[in-house]
Amino acid sequence: MSTERVTITLPREVVESIDCRARNRSRFILEAVLRELDRIRREELRLSLRQPHAESDVVADLGDWGTNLPDEEVGELLDPKAGRRVQWRSGVGWTTADED
């Protein structure tokens, strides 16, 4: 992950509290920001699941299709190694998980 320097302003008491608990202030703030971004992404997903786009209902409705397949065919339908990891990025959309 490439880095970029940013300047933020925090109340003195917050900075002192961070400094009492962490040896590396930047790392502490980075981890806190990453946790918050992850929390926001999870909340966006929850909202999306509660209010899905109308067209996604059509795509997601497979009915009984998967439950009626013989066991020997199921393994041929899905190869987990053949896929790629993706992630949802707010304002961007679906991207491969290793993109920045």
Side-chain angles (χ1 to χ4, degrees):
M1 178 184 311
S2 61
T3 60
E4 189 169 327
R5 183 174 296 274
V6 296
T7 302
I8 61 169
T9 303
L10 298 171
R12 174 169 295 163
E13 297 80 20
V14 172
V15 175
E16 290 171 355
S17 184
I18 291 170
D19 289 346
C20 288
R21 290 166 177 81
R23 297 171 100 188
N24 185 325
R25 187 187 295 164
S26 292
R27 180 175 294 145
F28 183 90
I29 292 171
L30 171 63
E31 289 172 359
V33 168
L34 290 174
R35 276 192 307 272
E36 179 63 10
L37 289 172
D38 189 46
R39 185 195 67 76
I40 290 169
R41 280 190 291 271
R42 286 191 312 270
E43 184 56 35
E44 289 171 341
L45 176 59
R46 282 188 206 102
L47 178 62
S48 174
L49 293 173
R50 282 192 300 262
Q51 300 173 353
H53 189 277
E55 292 177 6
S56 66
D57 285 340
V58 175
V59 174
D61 184 16
L62 300 176
D64 294 337
W65 181 80
T67 60
N68 296 324
L69 292 173
D71 290 338
E72 61 271 10
E73 291 182 30
V74 174
E76 296 172 11
L77 293 175
L78 176 65
D79 179 6
K81 296 176 199 155
R84 62 182 174 151
R85 293 183 59 204
V86 295
Q87 65 184 4
W88 177 259
R89 293 180 60 198
S90 184
V92 176
W94 289 104
T95 63
T96 57
D98 53 357
E99 287 183 3
D100 286 323

